[in-house]
Amino acid sequence: MIRRRTLLTALATTPVLSGVAVTTTATPAAAAEPASNTALYADPTWTEGVHWGRRSRRHLIDDQSRTDRAPFLRSTVIAPHGGGIEGGTSELCLAIAGYDPADLAPTPVAGPVHDFWMFEGLMSSGNGALHVTSTHCDDTIARSLCAGSLNVLSLHGCKPEQAGLEPGAAAVLVGGLNPTFRQYLMEEFTAAGIRAVTASGEEEIAGIDPDNICNRTLLGMGAQLETTTALRTAMFAAGKNTIADRATNLLPPFWTFTAATRRAIDRVEAGQTVL
C-alpha cells in the first residue's frame, strides 16, 4: 500500500479562494510537515491568510421557551484538507452543509443546513506540506463542533492507488466508525450511480481510529469519505478545476454527489432522538 503522505503533493491544485485575497505564495523552503494543527498555527514559517486559512459556521440555537423546543443540529460537515490540499473538498463541504460554494446562499438541494468547518491551503504550489493527518487534527473550532455533534462527515481526496483501485478509477471510499452512517452512504451513492467502496486497509483511508476527527462526536463515531481524483475532476468544468473557478463551475455530478450525501445524513438523523 502506498502511504498517503507520499502522494499529497500530487493532489494539490492552484490555491485561490473565492471571496478571499489571492496569493501566489509558494511553499516556504524551511517548512516541515506539521505534527498537528496547533503546531502548524504556532510555526512562524506559515502565515494565516497567506499560506493557509479556515472557514466555519456554527448555527445559533436559541431556546428560551419553557413549552417549545428549538431544533438541535445533529450533524457537522468538515474538510480538514481543503483549498489546494485535496482539491474540491472545500466546495463539497459547503454544498453538503447546505450552502452554495460560490456565495454561501442556500443550495438548490432542498433540506436543512448543517454546521461546517474546513482548513484550506492557499498557496500556488506545495499545499501538501500543510497536510495534518485526521488523527492529529486538533483545531479548537473543529474539535468543538465535532464534540457537540451526533454525526460528523469528513471529506477527503485520494488517489485510486491509495485505496487499491485501478488507475483512473472514479469512486468514493466510505469509512468511519459509524456503521449505520456508512451503510446509508453506501446505499445512497449506489442508488445515484456513484461507485462506492467500503474503505479498508490504511487507517487514514478507512477512518477507523477513534482519534480521527470524524469520530470525535458525541457518539464516538462518524463517517469519512475519500473521493478519488477522477471522481472530483468530473464535478467541475474542464479547465476550471482551481479554487478560483471551482465554486462557479459546478457540473451535474457535483450536485448528484451532494444530494446523495445529504440523503444519507437525513436518514441517519431520522433515527436519532434528542430528548
Side-chain angles (χ1 to χ4, degrees):
M1 179 65 70
I2 299 174
R3 296 296 297 175
R4 180 189 186 91
R5 176 71 70 179
T6 63
L7 294 171
L8 289 172
T9 302
L11 296 174
T13 56
T14 304
V16 186
L17 286 177
S18 299
V20 178
V22 174
T23 177
T24 56
T25 304
T27 310
E33 293 179 351
S36 65
N37 290 81
T38 297
L40 188 153
Y41 301 160
D43 188 341
T45 304
W46 308 109
T47 302
E48 184 170 10
V50 176
H51 302 109
W52 58 270
R54 292 173 284 180
R55 288 190 281 174
S56 65
R57 176 167 290 182
R58 186 195 297 269
H59 295 86
L60 174 66
I61 298 177
D62 187 358
D63 189 349
Q64 301 185 51
S65 171
R66 292 192 174 103
T67 57
D68 298 319
R69 295 183 58 197
F72 174 77
L73 273 71
R74 295 167 170 80
S75 304
T76 295
V77 186
I78 64 173
H81 310 130
I85 305 173
E86 293 170 357
T89 57
S90 290
E91 291 75 19
L92 284 170
C93 178
L94 290 170
I96 293 168
Y99 294 97
D100 190 314
D103 57 11
L104 291 183
T107 69
V109 182
V113 294
H114 306 290
D115 291 344
F116 66 81
W117 173 87
M118 66 188 75
F119 175 86
E120 301 177 291
L122 307 183
M123 296 181 292
S124 59
S125 63
N127 286 282
L130 295 167
H131 183 277
V132 175
T133 61
S134 293
T135 54
H136 295 125
C137 179
D138 62 353
D139 178 274
T140 302
I141 302 301
R143 286 275 186 95
S144 175
L145 287 169
C146 293
S149 300
L150 292 173
N151 316 297
V152 167
L153 180 71
S154 186
L155 298 159
H156 299 264
C158 71
K159 283 199 166 186
E161 297 91 322
Q162 295 171 268
L165 301 176
E166 70 277 11
V172 56
L173 289 90
V174 182
L177 287 176
N178 189 325
T180 302
F181 204 171
R182 291 200 314 268
Q183 175 188 338
Y184 292 161
L185 286 162
M186 291 287 292
E187 290 175 353
E188 293 297 338
F189 287 136
T190 300
I194 298 168
R195 182 181 178 185
V197 180
T198 298
S200 61
E202 188 177 342
E203 189 286 324
E204 266 194 85
I205 297 293
I208 56 175
D209 192 317
D211 288 333
N212 186 307
I213 189 66
C214 80
N215 296 318
R216 289 181 170 273
T217 70
L218 284 167
L219 302 177
M221 57 184 181
Q224 176 174 291
L225 299 180
E226 293 275 359
T227 49
T228 64
T229 305
L231 180 61
R232 283 176 288 126
T233 298
M235 296 180 182
F236 307 99
K240 301 294 184 178
N241 194 7
T242 67
I243 302 176
D245 297 325
R246 276 193 291 260
T248 53
N249 290 277
L250 308 174
L251 297 180
F254 178 92
W255 295 114
T256 299
F257 187 95
T258 295
T261 307
R262 284 173 60 81
R263 285 194 297 269
I265 295 174
D266 288 345
R267 289 176 64 185
V268 78
E269 288 188 344
Q272 296 171 328
T273 301
V274 178
L275 300 178

